[in-house]
């Protein structure tokens, strides 16, 4: 699925979500890659049980033509927030992501757009990537995961090493120069002490923290 919605804990084609509940505004999720530079211990990619018709695994990565075709099927009046998300890390396809964001911004300038990311794009691509999102995003949601570099690396099992935690925080701070809403996230299952420590990290770095409910299956 390239364009999907979340309904009762399941991922379904966006057009089906609208058919099931035409009165509601549905968030429109955009799935552009299976690739990720992390292997998080809690990742839904390995933990969530998904029947074939609800899977987010892409047989092949969409092209911009595929995205345009998919958008042509969507009733804009049924769309709430647009979220680049999926089961991979969208910034692994950085150039494509920027092109897709530009396309969506151009056709629907009045819709809010969010990117859910692990925040490692600048380290991954060895350049400042935050500026690339200027005027293209309303919100960026970055996974903080943990209060220290060691714990972060243990949880994310990422390919970029111990420098990844600081790089993710630096990216988040840089995003504040270009994106109206910058939010760091953790899941509520990490425990009260870890949550408190993450709150301190965000306060020390002048970053907003959101604690979200963990969903394993
Ligand atoms: S960054 Fe996201 S997609 Fe990648 S392994 Fe972690 S939870 Fe999964």
């Amino acid at each position: 699925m390239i364009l999907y919605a979340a309904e009762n804990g399941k991922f379904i084609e966006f057009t089906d979500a609208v058919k099931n509940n035409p009165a509601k505004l549905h968030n429109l999720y955009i799935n552009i890659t299976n690739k990720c530079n992390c292997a998080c211990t809690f990742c839904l990619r390995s933990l969530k049980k998904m029947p074939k018709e609800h899977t987010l695994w892409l047989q092949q990565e969409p092209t911009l033509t595929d995205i345009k075709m998919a958008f042509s099927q969507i009733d804009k009046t049924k769309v709430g927030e647009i979220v680049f998300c999926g089961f991979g890390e969208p910034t692994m396809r950085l150039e494509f992501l920027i092109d897709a964001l530009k396309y969506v911004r151009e056709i629907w300038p009045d819709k809010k757009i969010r990117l859910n990311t692990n925040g490692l794009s600048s380290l991954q691509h060895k350049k400042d990537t935050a500026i690339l999102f200027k005027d293209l995003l309303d919100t960026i949601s970055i996974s903080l995961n943990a209060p220290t570099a060691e714990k972060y690396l243990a949880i994310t099992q990422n390919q970029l090493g111990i420098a990844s935690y600081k790089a993710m925080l630096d990216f988040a701070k840089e995003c504040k120069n270009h994106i109206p809403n910058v939010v760091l996230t953790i899941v509520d299952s990490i425990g009260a002490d870890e949550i408190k420590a993450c709150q301190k990290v965000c306060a020390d770095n002048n970053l907003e923290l959101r604690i979200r409910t963990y969903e394993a299956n």
Side-chain angles (χ1 to χ4, degrees):
M1 284 188 283
I2 302 172
L3 301 185
Y4 66 98
E7 203 175 72
N8 302 324
K10 280 191 187 144
F11 304 120
I12 62 171
E13 293 281 355
F14 186 84
T15 46
D16 289 339
V18 172
K19 271 183 219 149
N20 294 348
N21 192 345
K24 187 183 155 192
L25 279 184
H26 303 266
N27 282 355
L28 173 61
Y29 293 90
I30 306 179
N31 183 23
I32 63 170
T33 186
N34 296 330
K35 293 190 199 102
C36 189
N37 45 11
C38 294
C40 298
T41 51
F42 59 85
C43 184
L44 297 183
R45 286 148 53 103
S46 49
L47 297 180
K48 192 173 178 77
K49 298 176 193 77
M50 287 183 295
K52 210 173 170 189
E53 66 273 24
H54 298 300
T55 187
L56 291 180
W57 283 106
L58 295 162
Q59 294 304 309
Q60 57 187 47
E61 292 184 331
T63 64
L64 203 53
T65 303
D66 295 330
I67 296 281
K68 289 178 182 179
M69 282 284 288
F71 265 82
S72 71
Q73 313 294 315
I74 302 296
D75 178 351
K76 181 188 167 188
T77 65
K78 306 297 181 196
V79 175
E81 190 177 23
I82 296 164
V83 188
F84 282 77
C85 182
F87 256 21
E89 166 53 42
T91 62
M92 294 298 283
R93 293 186 75 193
L94 188 62
E95 275 182 37
F96 178 80
L97 172 64
I98 300 299
D99 287 346
L101 283 166
K102 282 180 182 163
Y103 168 71
V104 177
R105 196 52 120 196
E106 191 182 314
I107 59 163
W108 293 349
D110 51 327
K111 291 287 181 192
K112 299 283 189 205
I113 307 178
R114 167 165 45 112
L115 170 65
N116 289 353
T117 177
N118 60 22
L120 296 174
S121 54
S122 292
L123 187 61
Q124 173 74 36
H125 299 286
K126 300 183 177 64
K127 63 180 182 181
D128 173 20
T129 56
I131 194 167
L132 301 176
F133 299 111
K134 184 175 166 52
D135 300 327
L136 298 178
L137 289 175
D138 298 282
T139 300
I140 189 162
S141 178
I142 301 168
S143 303
L144 176 66
N145 288 315
T148 68
E150 291 74 17
K151 286 178 180 172
Y152 177 80
L153 189 55
I155 290 171
T156 61
Q157 305 183 90
N158 74 69
Q159 302 160 359
L160 301 163
I162 198 71
S164 54
Y165 190 66
K166 182 176 182 305
M168 175 272 297
L169 285 174
D170 288 345
F171 171 77
K173 286 186 271 189
E174 186 58 26
C175 282
K176 290 183 74 174
N177 295 322
H178 310 296
I179 301 167
N181 300 308
V182 178
V183 184
L184 277 80
T185 65
I186 51 173
V187 286
D188 58 2
S189 57
I190 63 175
D193 290 347
E194 293 293 283
I195 290 173
K196 210 170 158 189
C198 288
Q199 285 168 328
K200 182 170 181 339
V201 169
C202 286
D204 290 348
N205 288 280
N206 196 23
L207 292 164
E208 184 183 330
L209 180 67
R210 185 169 75 85
I211 303 164
R212 59 189 178 82
T213 307
Y214 176 63
E215 186 210 352
N217 50 49

